[in-house]
Amino acid sequence: MGLTVRDALVYALENLEKMGFKKFRKQLHEIEVKENYRRIPRGKLEDKDWADVADLIREYYKDVYGVEVTLEVLDKINEKKVAEELLEDLKKVNRFVRLNQLEESKCLAPEARPMMLHLSDTGEMVCSVTLETFYPGYLHIEWTCGKEKSGEVSSSLERYAESLDHRSFSVCSEVRISQDSIRSPESTVHVSWEHEYTNTKGQQTFSITDHNFLWRPVMDEIQTPSCMYHDNPVVFNCHISGYYPDNVTVKWFRRNKKSLELCEDSDNISVPKIRSNRNPDNTYSCTAKLTMTPSVDNHLGAEYVCQVEHPSLEKAIKRSTRGMEILARPQLESITKVLEDNMLVQFSMHLTKFYPKDIKVKWHRGETQPRKGVQQMTLHTETLAEREDSLYDVTSNCSISGCNFGNPEYKIYVTWQHESMDGPETRALSARDLPWIPDVEDIFVLRLEDGYRTMMMCRITDYYPNSVTVTWYKKENGNVSSIQESDDIKLVIEPHNRRKNKTYGCTAVLHFTPDSTRDQGSEMICKVDHPSLEHPIEKSTGPLRILKAGEEE
């Protein structure tokens, strides 16, 4: 950048000797000035150096008239050589013309275009104003940025251009403003200019709260899950874009019928810190997130509100979700089985913690896979209960004749369907799901004496249905063979009276006459099978000891 008027004034004042500079300050306060100007107060001039005095001259008289005042003061204190040197320096100041060297009729006042704004790749806001068709081509332009009346002067860049006919000038003045300078809504960017040759002054002021500011935040609709489930975390996303400076404040609120409460980090809410991203157009964007765990009793019908504040906005902008619809999937707690009178088995399925309360339960009976062939609906009853947490439980009861479960292939099916489920769920129940599995005691063996008829017994209890099968085997020399009834062997099943718990029992009895030659060391095995068993239960006597006549144990 070339020599400026300020540079020329500072050089001139530096050339004054100490006493000459003191006289200059005194005379500067006393000199008569033109109308609409005022003299510099004595107190402001005391103890000031060359640069300070040069700045005061420009502050009170601008550049062109400031030069005239300086030359007049130099003349009054008889500093002609310094005045000549100042005039030589002023010739080096681009486009500067003294008033007494100009025909007033040639002067043209500047015309201003509106202030223009754009964002730079370095993250600054660039403000520019263009002034046209003025002559001579020297303007005093000053930019300030900050709060009104307290803004700091900002360094600017001027690009002058002369018209083709050399009769006028234009200038584009540009200043770069950091984000920090305009983070407050009270901050302004102010440009003023003065063309002293035509006594023309102008100014423009910009604030990010102006209605035509280009980079206010834009909010998308809040993205919410298509379905929300009780006690399952969900994430709300709200994309915010197109803002400058990078100074957004995002808050989340929960709105109920009676209140609006701020969402803050807690056991079931997480509000991550906002992180802005720089966009290709040098604006900023971010995604506000809220993670929460909904519950029917606390959040059903509530709305979540995302609120964005930015210094360019007169008031915060908001987006909200619709009233929350929360589903809770039914949990299969258990299917219990109880024996009833009249040979019936009552199945009770307990489904818990679901919402809403409407649920469909069906019981079917059949002998193959569910939904294949003909299935016959079975009568059942439901008992619905509301919980303290606003969820629901249901117990579905169905009674089936127990004799059906004598067939291991027989099945009963229960199917339930609810709005929260992707599709119906089914459980198949057979005899093997019944809890009444035979309890088989060890074989009780009476005294075994060669040639004397005796018996051994195996007690079987607590089974249901009454479909037990008992088979006896003999194991000798590693070989196992089934025992069949004969003249000597008799196989008897002695049923018990039905027990108080409504299960069945029996005693399997094997009558035979031991032969020490044939039976010594062999084993007797009692094998019990029942529809509830995956594998039969076996009990063994261990190796038999047959007593010979007169032999004691």
Side-chain angles (χ1 to χ4, degrees), residues 279-294:
N279 299 323
D281 64 356
N282 297 315
T283 61
Y284 290 87
S285 63
C286 67
T287 299
K289 294 180 180 290
L290 171 73
T291 302
M292 56 88 65
T293 303

Side-chain angles (χ1 to χ4, degrees), residues 3-10 58 63-64 67 90 93 96 138:
L3 194 69
T4 65
V5 171
R6 182 182 183 277
D7 295 336
L9 291 175
V10 172
R58 295 180 69 243
D63 288 341
V64 177
V67 167
L90 289 170
V93 177
F96 184 82
Y138 188 85

Side-chain angles (χ1 to χ4, degrees), residues 251-485:
K251 298 176 182 177
W252 287 91
F253 297 88
R254 186 178 77 176
R255 178 160 52 209
N256 293 317
K257 293 180 180 179
K258 297 181 180 180
S259 64
L260 183 69
E261 61 182 48
L262 178 67
C263 297
E264 298 179 295
D265 285 337
S266 64
D267 290 341
N268 68 340
I269 291 179
S270 173
V271 185
K273 186 178 180 180
I274 295 295
R275 297 184 181 276
S276 294
N277 300 308
R278 185 102 167 267
N279 299 323
D281 64 356
N282 297 315
T283 61
Y284 290 87
S285 63
C286 67
T287 299
K289 294 180 180 290
L290 171 73
T291 302
M292 56 88 65
T293 303
S295 63
V296 170
D297 52 343
N298 290 326
H299 302 101
L300 186 66
E303 295 180 13
Y304 277 82
V305 179
C306 182
Q307 175 178 292
V308 173
E309 300 171 3
H310 189 261
S312 67
L313 299 171
E314 289 186 11
K315 59 181 182 179
I317 55 176
K318 302 175 182 178
R319 288 283 186 270
S320 63
T321 66
R322 63 183 185 277
M324 292 182 67
E325 298 178 3
I326 303 173
L327 303 175
R329 296 184 180 93
Q331 308 296 313
L332 177 58
E333 185 176 84
S334 64
I335 301 178
T336 59
K337 301 92 180 175
V338 176
L339 289 177
E340 297 181 314
D341 296 328
N342 304 322
M343 308 286 287
L344 295 176
V345 179
Q346 183 189 74
F347 292 88
S348 297
M349 181 179 67
H350 305 281
L351 297 172
T352 63
K353 300 180 180 179
F354 58 88
Y355 188 89
K357 68 178 180 180
D358 294 331
I359 191 167
K360 294 180 180 179
V361 180
K362 295 180 180 179
W363 293 82
H364 296 271
R365 50 192 173 92
E367 297 180 356
T368 55
Q369 295 298 317
R371 304 182 199 88
K372 289 185 179 180
V374 178
Q375 295 181 345
Q376 186 173 349
M377 190 80 71
T378 303
L379 293 177
H380 57 279
T381 60
E382 270 80 57
T383 303
L384 188 71
E386 185 174 6
R387 301 161 53 95
E388 290 184 358
D389 56 7
S390 300
L391 302 180
Y392 289 89
D393 297 340
V394 69
T395 298
S396 181
N397 296 319
C398 178
S399 295
I400 304 294
S401 175
C403 62
N404 293 315
F405 293 101
N407 177 3
E409 299 301 318
Y410 181 83
K411 290 183 175 63
I412 183 82
Y413 302 102
V414 58
T415 300
W416 63 97
Q417 189 168 3
H418 187 260
E419 182 181 343
S420 64
M421 300 166 57
D422 295 333
E425 291 190 26
T426 298
R427 292 290 184 274
L429 302 165
S430 66
R432 288 183 180 173
D433 296 295
L434 300 179
W436 306 292
I437 299 172
D439 180 18
V440 182
E441 298 179 5
D442 290 337
I443 299 173
F444 179 75
V445 182
L446 294 180
R447 179 183 176 87
L448 300 178
E449 190 173 348
D450 190 25
Y452 288 88
R453 191 167 182 77
T454 187
M455 66 178 179
M456 54 184 61
M457 300 173 290
C458 183
R459 182 179 171 83
I460 308 160
T461 58
D462 294 328
Y463 55 87
Y464 188 91
N466 189 18
S467 299
V468 73
T469 301
V470 179
T471 309
W472 289 90
Y473 294 89
K474 183 178 182 181
K475 182 178 180 180
E476 55 183 340
N477 299 324
N479 297 317
V480 179
S481 58
S482 64
I483 299 174
Q484 305 295 327
E485 282 197 346

Side-chain angles (χ1 to χ4, degrees), residues 187-231:
S187 297
T188 60
V189 177
H190 181 81
V191 60
S192 62
W193 61 89
E194 184 171 350
H195 191 245
E196 296 179 71
Y197 303 102
T198 58
N199 198 28
T200 301
K201 298 179 181 180
Q203 64 178 12
Q204 291 183 14
T205 301
F206 152 79
S207 168
I208 61 174
T209 58
D210 292 348
H211 72 279
N212 57 349
F213 183 66
L214 300 175
W215 305 301
R216 289 188 171 88
V218 175
M219 296 181 71
D220 293 347
E221 294 295 331
I222 298 175
Q223 298 176 12
T224 60
S226 56
C227 290
M228 285 177 270
Y229 295 93
H230 178 83
D231 272 352

Side-chain angles (χ1 to χ4, degrees), residues 121-144:
D121 292 339
T122 57
E124 299 165 305
M125 184 176 69
V126 181
C127 307
S128 62
V129 66
T130 299
L131 303 165
E132 299 176 318
T133 62
F134 57 91
Y135 189 86
Y138 188 85
L139 283 175
H140 181 86
I141 300 175
E142 187 174 89
W143 291 85
T144 59

Side-chain angles (χ1 to χ4, degrees), residues 163-176:
S163 66
L164 295 176
D165 59 7
H166 305 291
R167 292 182 178 180
S168 67
F169 287 86
S170 65
V171 64
C172 178
S173 180
E174 179 179 282
V175 68
R176 291 174 175 259

